[in-house]
Amino acid sequence: MNDTKINTIPQSAHSGYASLLSGFQSIQLGTVSAEQIPEVSYAPAVLTESREFYIHVSELSAHTANLRTSQKASVLLIEDEETCEQIFARKRVTFACDATEVERDSAEWKDAMERFGEKFGPIMNHLKTMQDFHLIRLQPKSGRLVVGFGQAFDVIGNQMDQLTHVRGIDGKGHRTATKQAANK
Amino acid sequence: MNDTKINTIPQSAHSGYASLLSGFQSIQLGTVSAEQIPEVSYAPAVLTESREFYIHVSELSAHTANLRTSQKASVLLIEDEETCEQIFARKRVTFACDATEVERDSAEWKDAMERFGEKFGPIMNHLKTMQDFHLIRLQPKSGRLVVGFGQAFDVIGNQMDQLTHVRGIDGKGHRTATKQAANK
């Protein structure tokens, strides 16, 4: 059953997903404070071959304390508003992530900093010396892709590389007034 | 002192703020679930003269339950990635908001739906009949504007119409390795 569903994923979903993953410079972030206050923000980011994100963020930003404390993040890649076809269905993918700080000067830190340097250029030579900045690894545990009206897919697999159909929450879709009246 | 600070706000901050407020079609949203899991998302939105946002969101989206349960939201207006001058300093404003559901068919609901219709056109005739959609008012309690490197301002006032300088957290700015070594 699952195989059948996977086989029916339209090519537009795969290409939309690939385009979101390859096209971004920065990610939108959802984090939560120790007092359960939500915070939305953004950060320049790199993505590895194994589908982990790295961000390099300052203590001057609220998200940094939130990430280090809660160790949870929600990550959104979304097409620009100006170029989207339909404002009510901007192409996007959201990942629920575990957030882990990477120790400064460790092998992983150096590797990530090389990736940042390759992607963003000389500005990183300065930023990586800043002591209020911390490198955070964001590891997706689940994902949701939306490429148009009614075209939502769950992203699964260890490397977030498979798509499956979503059919509403608990199998429900949108409800019109007529449908609701009929159900009473 | 406060007056002096307000008077020294550069015109570029005021114009950057005005541009973000007048230019958006949708907002980025940070919400939190009952289980303290953060969620980042987006929604088309309208802004009233008294600087309150309205969004019209479906139960099929996780943010809707989060907003109705926690009654808190973080709202981000941010310039598009493609057109930003500097990816490490995208112009943006973030508001910490109280979130309140507006009763369907109330005077406030009808007024908000008119605003949505004016802004987004005929699609709203359909969406407003959907029974899984809820109208949520997002009322900013505080704001933070960033218009460039080191150009951060707090947004204050009942109608989020005044800017004041921010000088880091607890008066601290970024820390270089040299400065940190010197402080030891």
Side-chain angles (χ1 to χ4, degrees):
Chain A
M1 180 67 183
N2 238 353
D3 282 348
T4 314
K5 279 192 177 179
I6 288 170
N7 288 338
T8 63
I9 302 293
Q11 185 52 38
S12 60
H14 289 293
S15 62
Y17 184 41
S19 170
L20 286 166
L21 290 181
S22 64
F24 76 91
Q25 296 287 303
S26 58
I27 60 179
Q28 279 59 239
L29 269 179
T31 61
V32 59
S33 75
E35 296 76 28
Q36 278 88 61
I37 304 296
E39 172 84 12
V40 59
S41 59
Y42 98 105
V46 297
L47 178 64
T48 70
E49 302 74 21
S50 54
R51 300 275 164 89
E52 292 176 323
F53 296 90
Y54 287 107
I55 55 174
H56 184 244
V57 288
S58 164
E59 289 169 23
L60 299 183
S61 298
H63 56 206
T64 304
N66 292 353
L67 289 164
R68 295 170 84 194
T69 305
S70 77
Q71 304 193 319
K72 295 281 175 200
S74 178
V75 166
L76 171 67
L77 308 181
I78 186 165
E79 63 177 349
D80 276 347
E81 195 167 274
E82 183 66 28
T83 47
C84 74
E85 280 174 42
Q86 167 50 264
I87 192 66
F88 283 86
R90 287 171 71 185
K91 289 187 181 68
R92 61 197 184 273
V93 61
T94 315
F95 297 108
C97 297
D98 285 344
T100 310
E101 182 165 359
V102 178
E103 192 184 355
R104 182 175 286 270
D105 295 329
S106 66
E108 184 180 357
W109 185 91
K110 286 173 184 168
D111 174 71
M113 282 301 144
E114 269 192 32
R115 294 171 186 271
F116 271 102
E118 283 165 17
K119 184 162 181 174
F120 297 110
I123 191 173
M124 290 309 301
N125 293 336
H126 177 59
L127 288 180
K128 75 180 183 185
T129 67
M130 299 291 230
Q131 301 298 306
D132 56 300
F133 275 79
H134 300 263
L135 179 68
I136 311 281
R137 183 198 325 121
L138 303 171
Q139 185 166 23
K141 310 309 283 185
S142 63
R144 173 69 59 91
L145 172 74
V146 179
V147 293
F149 277 124
Q151 296 178 66
F153 304 90
D154 279 330
V155 187
I156 60 170
N158 278 344
Q159 302 205 345
M160 293 286 118
D161 54 358
Q162 294 171 48
L163 302 179
T164 64
H165 281 283
V166 175
R167 300 204 186 275
I169 288 173
D170 299 332
K172 289 176 194 150
H174 292 297
R175 302 193 310 276
T176 62
T178 318
K179 273 192 207 164
Q180 190 174 68
N183 288 339
K184 275 181 184 169
Chain B
M1 182 65 183
N2 236 351
D3 282 349
T4 315
K5 279 193 176 177
I6 287 170
N7 288 338
T8 64
I9 302 293
Q11 184 53 37
S12 60
H14 289 294
S15 62
Y17 185 40
S19 170
L20 285 166
L21 290 181
S22 65
F24 76 91
Q25 295 286 303
S26 59
I27 60 180
Q28 278 60 240
L29 268 178
T31 61
V32 60
S33 75
E35 296 76 28
Q36 278 88 59
I37 304 297
E39 172 84 13
V40 60
S41 59
Y42 98 104
V46 295
L47 178 63
T48 69
E49 301 74 22
S50 54
R51 302 272 164 90
E52 293 176 324
F53 296 90
Y54 287 108
I55 56 175
H56 185 244
V57 287
S58 164
E59 290 168 23
L60 299 184
S61 298
H63 55 204
T64 304
N66 292 354
L67 288 164
R68 295 170 85 194
T69 304
S70 76
Q71 304 194 318
K72 295 281 175 201
S74 179
V75 166
L76 170 68
L77 309 181
I78 186 164
E79 63 177 348
D80 276 346
E81 196 168 271
E82 184 65 28
T83 48
C84 74
E85 281 172 41
Q86 167 49 266
I87 192 67
F88 283 85
R90 288 172 71 185
K91 288 187 182 65
R92 61 198 184 271
V93 61
T94 315
F95 297 107
C97 296
D98 286 344
T100 311
E101 181 165 359
V102 178
E103 191 184 355
R104 182 174 285 270
D105 295 328
S106 66
E108 184 180 354
W109 186 91
K110 287 174 183 166
D111 173 71
M113 285 300 145
E114 270 192 31
R115 294 172 187 268
F116 272 102
E118 284 165 16
K119 185 164 181 174
F120 298 110
I123 191 173
M124 290 309 302
N125 293 336
H126 177 59
L127 289 180
K128 75 182 183 183
T129 67
M130 299 291 231
Q131 301 297 305
D132 57 301
F133 275 79
H134 299 263
L135 179 67
I136 310 282
R137 183 199 324 121
L138 303 171
Q139 185 166 25
K141 309 310 282 184
S142 63
R144 172 69 58 91
L145 172 73
V146 178
V147 293
F149 275 125
Q151 296 178 65
F153 304 89
D154 279 329
V155 187
I156 59 169
N158 278 342
Q159 303 205 345
M160 293 287 119
D161 54 359
Q162 294 170 50
L163 303 178
T164 65
H165 281 283
V166 175
R167 301 206 185 273
I169 287 173
D170 301 329
K172 290 176 196 149
H174 293 296
R175 300 193 311 274
T176 62
T178 317
K179 271 192 208 163
Q180 190 175 68
N183 288 340
K184 272 183 186 166

